[in-house]
Amino acid sequence: MSDTASTPPSAEIDEQTRRDFLLVSTATVGAVGTALSLWPFVNSLNPAADTLALATTEVNLAPIAEGQSITVVWQGKPVFIRHRTKAEIEQAKADDAAALPDPAKDADRVIKPDWLVMVGVCTHLGCIPLGQKEGEPKGDFGGWFCPCHGSHYDTSGRIRKGPAPLNLPVPTYEFQSDTQVKIG
Amino acid sequence: MSEQQPTSKFMQNGVVKWIEHRMPIFSFIDHSVGSGYPAPKNLNYWWNFGSLAGLALIIMIVSGIVLVMHYTPHTTLAFNSVERIMRDVNGGWLIRYLHMNGASFFFIAVYIHIFRGLYFGSYKYPRELLWIIGVLILLAMMATAFMGYVLPWGQMSYWGATVITNLFSAIPVVGESLVTLLWGGFVVDNPTLNRFFSLHYLLPFVILGLVIMHIWALHTFGSNNPTGVDVKGPQDTIPFHPYFTIKDLYGMGVFMLIFLFFVFFAPNYFGEADNYIPADSLATPPHIVPEWYFLPSYAILRAFTNEFILYWPVSWLMTAKLAGVIAMFGSIILLALIPWLDTSKVRSARYRPVYKWFFWIFVLDWIVLGMVGAHPAEGIWVVLGQVATTYYFAHLLLILPILGVLERPLATPESISASVTQPAE
């Protein structure tokens, strides 16, 4: 205990402020460096290149009759493609003037009014709304209904009633021809 | 304490003495859970649940390590590897049912342990940090249980993971990127399963570390006791070993009987049938429910709708969804502040005639929240959930602080011994 490694009493306080500066600046640089070195580990949790590579989906629209819907998978998520009827389009346009929690015009949510393309994931907590298949509940507004917490979407996929805060999102997509769309 | 006692035969053993001189582990154990730890002599059966929770943790770690030897963390193989454990692996069904039901019984022990602390004021000075570490253990347990439930990759696994991770999308600005970061993709998928598996293996050892800190903090001032009065001297204590080791063992026997009843005769009682359907990312089950131990939290989350009175004050600031998420996490984190929210100096509810009632109302409120969480959010359950949520926060933020000032507590005994030797007035 008494043999070694004890500080000589005289070497104590004298240059306290310069020592403190060194100590604090060294510790700060060290802490910032350590924090920055954590970034690659965090970033490794972000989508990997192969996940990102699956970022587009192409769909042939020809077999979808008016009034029918199909669900395709894009980035692992269901995308609803609905060939809307004339009545549904009229209803959607008429509802532009209704009280909408997340206001959006029907015209801004489609490229061609006949085709409604949107991500079929409820904006509340991520369940998949019903209304794609024949016989499934379509909710109070003739569009889609989420069974998890009761959100109702209209014929333009806009939220009308229930806990979801936003409309069903419209993904980036383009018409490659009259009967072919590329999503993503 | 142990210095006054004659050294045991065990401590005289040459090997023991050799190790003890270089690393005093045997006296450390003795001071932790042995004859060297003086425990209040009046600890009742409510004090069994700490050691029961410890037993449950060990059961979970041991069964979990063996399960990992047979489990495959990949979306295409996970479900089948669990079924293989159930059907083909020798005794695999037993080990998995122990692990599945062990989670429920871990939470049962811990919830009773927490309510014990609330009733007898175990969180008050000088045990605030002990209590806070306990809340951290609860949070770590919840995270571990949630991620473990995802691993079998059934429908409830998948959609539970989807709903809960989507909660983070409520956070303004960074929400969406944060969820993508959590998922490692654009939906819950293989990267999500892999990282949950990694963390599900890690977190139990974090819990173990926290438990050691919990016990360390506990032993700094010793256990609280049913009177809530400090230990005044050796006449108030008895050695932990053998008196409480034997009492804990007895409790463990009873606990194991009930636990194993469920393992052998009702192994899926706490589970959801839907989780025996493989995960399907294109079909949401009609009724998503979390495991029972999350139901009160789930009820608080869902209580926040645009019509909820507690949402109005913050409605200009955030969506109801975000408010629900904050309230859900807040309902647990607020527990850590109870040592300061409760302004009464008297620890035990035995001497707090009014608090005693409010304690039981709070227990009832928590059970009601659990029932609400189990039902679809419609009709009476919506109103009930909002009333119970309001009361939950009112209890913590209004009743506890005000009661400590207004209540006139009964006279507390001078000491633990005096509480039995002197007749109550």
Side-chain angles (χ1 to χ4, degrees):
Chain A
M1 329 274 147
S2 59
D3 342 0
T4 50
S6 60
T7 321
S10 59
E12 273 170 13
I13 319 162
D14 277 355
E15 296 184 284
Q16 202 170 34
T17 50
R18 289 174 70 183
R19 287 262 166 134
D20 284 355
F21 174 76
L22 278 174
L23 185 70
V24 171
S25 51
T26 311
T28 308
V29 171
V32 170
T34 310
L36 287 177
S37 71
L38 284 177
W39 172 244
F41 295 95
V42 175
N43 193 34
S44 76
L45 299 176
N46 267 319
D50 62 333
T51 310
L52 292 170
L54 301 171
T56 62
T57 299
E58 291 178 14
V59 187
N60 178 12
L61 300 177
I64 310 169
E66 189 172 306
Q68 272 190 338
S69 304
I70 63 158
T71 305
V72 297
V73 177
W74 169 64
Q75 291 187 342
K77 285 181 281 206
V79 170
F80 293 170
I81 301 179
R82 180 152 180 82
H83 193 168
R84 296 195 291 182
T85 60
K86 291 281 171 285
E88 284 170 346
I89 297 169
E90 287 312 309
Q91 184 64 47
K93 283 184 178 154
D95 284 350
D96 283 353
L100 300 170
D102 180 17
K105 289 208 182 329
D106 182 57
D108 297 336
R109 292 178 51 79
V110 291
I111 295 176
K112 295 181 179 180
D114 286 359
W115 299 99
L116 179 64
V117 180
M118 56 191 186
V119 177
V121 175
C122 182
T123 55
H124 181 226
L125 292 174
C127 296
I128 299 188
L130 300 173
Q132 281 292 87
K133 291 189 193 124
E134 204 65 38
E136 282 182 353
K138 289 174 179 294
D140 294 353
F141 301 89
W144 288 264
F145 171 71
C146 182
C148 288
H149 305 97
S151 293
H152 299 254
Y153 296 91
D154 68 12
T155 54
S156 188
R158 290 173 296 204
I159 179 66
R160 300 298 291 272
K161 186 177 156 193
L166 300 172
N167 302 332
L168 291 178
V170 177
T172 316
Y173 68 95
E174 60 184 49
F175 279 86
Q176 295 176 311
S177 71
D178 274 355
T179 57
Q180 179 89 2
V181 286
K182 187 175 117 188
I183 305 166
Chain B
M1 306 293 144
S2 62
E3 299 93 64
Q4 297 135 6
Q5 291 163 0
T7 344
S8 66
K9 221 179 204 170
F10 177 77
M11 295 298 277
Q12 313 256 334
N13 178 293
V15 179
V16 171
K17 275 165 87 175
W18 188 91
I19 296 173
E20 179 74 13
H21 182 66
R22 285 153 184 85
M23 180 181 72
I25 186 169
F26 297 107
S27 55
F28 176 76
I29 293 171
D30 190 55
H31 284 281
S32 300
V33 289
S35 53
Y37 177 48
K41 61 183 178 183
N42 59 336
L43 297 185
N44 59 30
Y45 276 112
W46 296 111
W47 263 261
N48 275 57
F49 289 89
S51 70
L52 291 179
L55 173 68
L57 177 63
I58 290 165
I59 291 174
M60 293 307 282
I61 289 180
V62 171
S63 57
I65 287 173
V66 178
L67 285 174
V68 167
M69 298 178 187
H70 304 283
Y71 170 78
T72 314
H74 191 278
T75 51
T76 56
L77 301 167
F79 188 88
N80 288 338
S81 75
V82 172
E83 284 307 304
R84 185 178 160 269
I85 289 170
M86 295 301 293
R87 295 155 196 245
D88 297 342
V89 173
N90 299 323
W93 60 273
L94 175 62
I95 298 164
R96 174 164 181 254
Y97 279 154
L98 283 170
H99 200 71
M100 248 173 83
N101 289 280
S104 282
F105 276 81
F106 195 2
F107 274 100
I108 290 173
V110 162
Y111 281 139
I112 295 175
H113 187 63
I114 292 170
F115 279 120
R116 192 287 318 275
L118 288 174
Y119 187 85
F120 294 106
S122 302
Y123 48 83
K124 291 184 189 183
Y125 176 84
R127 299 184 183 84
E128 301 97 324
L129 187 59
L130 169 64
W131 174 261
I132 291 170
I133 296 168
V135 175
L136 293 179
I137 293 174
L138 177 63
L139 281 169
M141 279 176 65
M142 288 178 141
T144 311
F146 163 67
M147 288 190 271
Y149 194 61
V150 176
L151 303 184
W153 209 246
Q155 274 288 67
M156 280 296 167
S157 302
Y158 183 87
W159 290 101
T162 298
V163 168
I164 299 302
T165 48
N166 260 304
L167 293 177
F168 293 94
S169 71
I171 299 166
V173 189
V174 295
E176 293 295 333
S177 334
L178 183 65
V179 172
T180 306
L181 180 77
L182 285 175
W183 287 341
F186 305 104
V187 282
V188 173
D189 209 336
N190 200 48
T192 327
L193 177 61
N194 274 283
R195 63 193 57 181
F196 279 16
F197 177 59
S198 167
L199 294 174
H200 184 70
Y201 207 123
L202 166 72
L203 281 177
F205 298 97
V206 173
I207 294 175
L208 191 64
L210 286 168
V211 166
I212 290 169
M213 288 167 68
H214 195 63
I215 296 171
W216 187 7
L218 170 71
H219 287 186
T220 307
F221 284 96
S223 301
N224 184 33
N225 68 84
T227 67
V229 175
D230 286 331
V231 166
K232 297 281 160 45
Q235 74 280 6
D236 287 338
T237 66
I238 44 177
F240 189 83
H241 179 73
Y243 296 102
F244 288 112
T245 40
I246 202 70
K247 191 169 180 172
D248 277 352
L249 274 174
Y250 175 71
M252 286 177 189
V254 176
F255 180 79
M256 288 303 287
L257 272 178
I258 303 170
F259 171 48
L260 292 178
F261 170 83
F262 279 94
V263 168
F264 287 113
F265 298 104
N268 290 300
Y269 177 79
F270 294 105
E272 282 292 323
D274 270 14
N275 219 30
Y276 285 101
I277 302 169
D280 179 354
S281 65
L282 296 181
T284 309
H287 181 41
I288 299 180
V289 267
E291 290 282 86
W292 70 267
Y293 37 80
F294 290 134
L295 291 175
S297 303
Y298 193 55
I300 291 173
L301 168 77
R302 291 195 307 182
F304 281 78
T305 62
N306 288 324
E307 297 79 30
F308 184 28
I309 189 162
L310 285 189
Y311 172 60
W312 293 348
V314 292
S315 59
W316 58 277
L317 188 65
M318 60 179 85
T319 61
K321 178 172 152 185
L322 180 59
V325 174
I326 292 172
M328 182 181 72
F329 287 109
S331 70
I332 306 291
I333 291 164
L334 215 48
L335 296 177
L337 299 180
I338 286 182
W340 296 275
L341 291 168
D342 183 350
T343 49
S344 174
K345 295 279 177 247
V346 177
R347 289 201 189 97
S348 174
R350 276 192 187 171
Y351 308 102
R352 299 187 61 190
V354 188
Y355 172 73
K356 189 184 277 183
W357 283 100
F358 280 109
F359 169 82
W360 286 111
I361 297 172
F362 187 61
V363 174
L364 187 69
D365 184 64
W366 186 77
I367 293 170
V368 169
L369 279 172
M371 289 162 61
V372 170
H375 288 84
E378 53 196 29
I380 182 72
W381 295 109
V382 178
V383 183
L384 208 54
Q386 297 185 337
V387 170
T389 300
T390 311
Y391 187 82
Y392 183 95
F393 288 104
H395 177 88
L396 295 178
L397 295 171
L398 294 175
I399 294 171
L400 281 184
I402 295 171
L403 203 58
V405 178
L406 296 185
E407 184 184 42
R408 293 190 59 190
L410 306 177
T412 50
E414 280 172 28
S415 71
I416 293 169
S417 287
S419 71
V420 273
T421 53
Q422 293 170 359
E425 298 182 26

